[in-house]
Amino acid sequence: MGNVQPTIIPYEDFDVTDDIKSIRKACKGLGTDEDTIIQILANRSSAQRVEIKQAYFEKYDDELEEVLKKELTGSFENAIVAMLDPPHVYFAKELKKAMKGAGTDEAILVEILCTATNEDILSYKEAYVQVHECDLEADIEDDTSGDVRNLLVSLLQANRDEGYEVDEGLAEQDATALFEAGEGRFGTDESTFSYILTHRNYLQLQATFKVYESLSGTDILDAVDAEATGTLKDCYITLIRCAKNPQLYFARRLNAAMKGVGTDEDTLIRIIVGRSEIDLETVKDMYLEKYDVPLKEALDSDCGGDFKRLLLEILH
């Protein structure tokens, strides 16, 4: 949406031979030179990192991912491994991980799918089949139920209008439908909410939310908060926040990951690595605007060691 900025762009003086030699040296002998690994990987684009991985294998007959996994540990290892996959492959793996074993981590499904563009969704579906040899939509149907399943499956059709046209008449019509489906009689017509939130373009939704507020006297987020529950509520809130300002949504997710006792390091990795070539610079701006603290400062006091140094390097 509009003018968003990444923190990582392709490295101008990229020399893959140099990079693989430096990484090889960093992993050789006693101890690992984590600084070199951070400096290289956090300053190369995803496509360049994929080239590094291929060149490393060709020259040394070793999988770079396996070599690094032996050398590194914890969240630092997880973040580095995440950086070695193209983003759509990484997100396909995260979706699978969210559905593995007993219980489903629906918050991850929501975060990834409710914020994705049509093109993202199609690339996740493709990568999912390649990596896992099964169908993302079928897995989501098996792993979720009811209105949440319907909403996520609707998103997987990648049918959102992604234009920038606003039809005021449609905004009136949709706002009225949301109002009638919602306040006072929520629970009766989730499909109206789901259809509108998964099909309209973001500017159209912003216009709809304005009309909704003048009709009902309530902000749409407050209405959803009061009327919906559970994962469905999370889906609606994510879709609404994304329609209003996706980068602010990610800033909020980062803040929540660092709040309270303990840090949700997986979410930090997903957003900081996952958004680094899309809009992370803009997410940083939103974080500062919303929380009055630079994101780097928040991370600095919340994370430690090589993991922290890597994230700070990605944030530039």
Side-chain angles (χ1 to χ4, degrees):
M1 286 277 294
N3 187 18
V4 296
Q5 299 296 326
T7 60
I8 292 183
I9 54 171
Y11 187 59
E12 270 187 25
D13 302 323
F14 181 51
D15 180 336
V16 73
T17 313
D18 260 10
D19 284 353
I20 62 172
K21 281 182 185 161
S22 303
I23 292 172
R24 182 77 170 175
K25 193 174 155 202
C27 298
K28 274 268 181 261
L30 282 173
T32 310
D33 173 4
E34 289 89 357
D35 270 352
T36 298
I37 294 167
I38 291 171
Q39 281 308 318
I40 293 175
L41 295 182
N43 290 290
R44 305 293 180 270
S45 69
S46 172
Q48 289 172 335
R49 294 194 290 262
V50 169
E51 263 188 75
I52 289 172
K53 201 161 76 164
Q54 286 164 340
Y56 194 93
F57 182 71
E58 281 161 22
K59 185 161 173 62
Y60 302 115
D61 204 24
D62 258 342
E63 289 287 354
L64 180 57
E65 186 177 318
E66 296 309 316
V67 170
L68 290 171
K69 275 179 166 174
K70 279 192 198 108
E71 299 289 330
L72 315 173
T73 56
S75 294
F76 179 50
E77 176 192 331
N78 296 342
I80 290 285
V81 168
M83 293 172 80
L84 295 175
D85 278 324
H88 58 286
V89 172
Y90 166 64
F91 284 120
K93 288 180 179 176
E94 286 292 295
L95 289 166
K96 183 73 174 168
K97 201 165 85 183
M99 294 185 276
K100 256 201 182 132
T104 300
D105 191 338
E106 290 181 336
I108 294 178
L109 301 184
V110 173
E111 180 199 291
I112 296 175
L113 297 176
C114 293
T115 63
T117 63
N118 292 340
E119 194 188 337
D120 291 337
I121 299 251
L122 296 173
S123 69
Y124 300 163
K125 282 162 85 167
E126 204 178 307
Y128 199 89
V129 174
Q130 282 171 355
V131 176
H132 304 299
E133 293 178 350
C134 49
D135 182 69
L136 175 58
E137 196 172 316
D139 280 0
I140 285 198
E141 283 188 352
D142 285 348
D143 253 70
T144 56
S145 58
D147 295 314
V148 172
R149 176 201 287 163
N150 297 342
L151 184 140
L152 295 177
V153 168
S154 171
L155 281 171
L156 288 174
Q157 307 318 304
N159 279 333
R160 188 188 292 284
D161 163 22
E162 293 188 322
Y164 296 95
E165 298 292 309
V166 174
D167 175 339
E168 294 295 348
L170 181 63
E172 299 272 343
Q173 194 183 313
D174 281 352
T176 308
L178 288 173
F179 184 57
E180 286 172 358
E183 293 185 334
R185 343 177 293 158
F186 220 98
T188 51
D189 193 6
E190 313 297 21
S191 61
T192 303
F193 254 78
S194 294
Y195 183 85
I196 292 168
L197 291 176
T198 57
H199 284 75
R200 305 291 187 244
N201 76 52
Y202 281 177
L203 294 176
Q204 181 67 37
L205 285 172
Q206 290 171 22
T208 304
F209 302 154
K210 279 204 178 87
V211 180
Y212 182 91
E213 192 167 354
S214 61
L215 272 180
S216 68
T218 313
D219 180 83
I220 184 98
L221 279 169
D222 294 335
V224 165
D225 196 39
E227 304 288 346
T229 56
T231 302
L232 187 65
K233 170 157 117 175
D234 296 338
C235 288
Y236 287 161
I237 285 180
T238 302
L239 289 164
I240 292 166
R241 288 202 192 285
C242 266
K244 291 183 173 195
N245 183 333
Q247 290 72 41
L248 179 57
Y249 165 78
F250 286 116
R252 286 173 178 276
R253 284 285 292 169
L254 288 169
N255 181 261
M258 295 184 279
K259 247 193 172 137
V261 179
T263 302
D264 176 355
E265 291 169 341
D266 288 343
T267 295
L268 296 183
I269 295 171
R270 252 194 333 277
I271 296 174
I272 291 174
V273 172
R275 308 303 301 181
S276 58
E277 288 184 76
I278 306 166
D279 55 8
L280 188 57
E281 190 60 46
T282 313
V283 172
K284 275 162 60 180
D285 295 342
M286 287 300 139
Y287 195 96
L288 180 60
E289 204 173 292
K290 170 92 183 136
Y291 298 106
D292 245 7
V293 174
L295 177 55
K296 287 176 98 162
E297 213 171 283
L299 281 167
D300 196 30
S301 58
D302 220 73
C303 305
D306 294 319
F307 179 59
K308 171 170 91 176
R309 300 217 308 276
L310 175 66
L311 295 186
L312 294 179
E313 191 60 38
I314 296 171
L315 285 169
H316 285 283

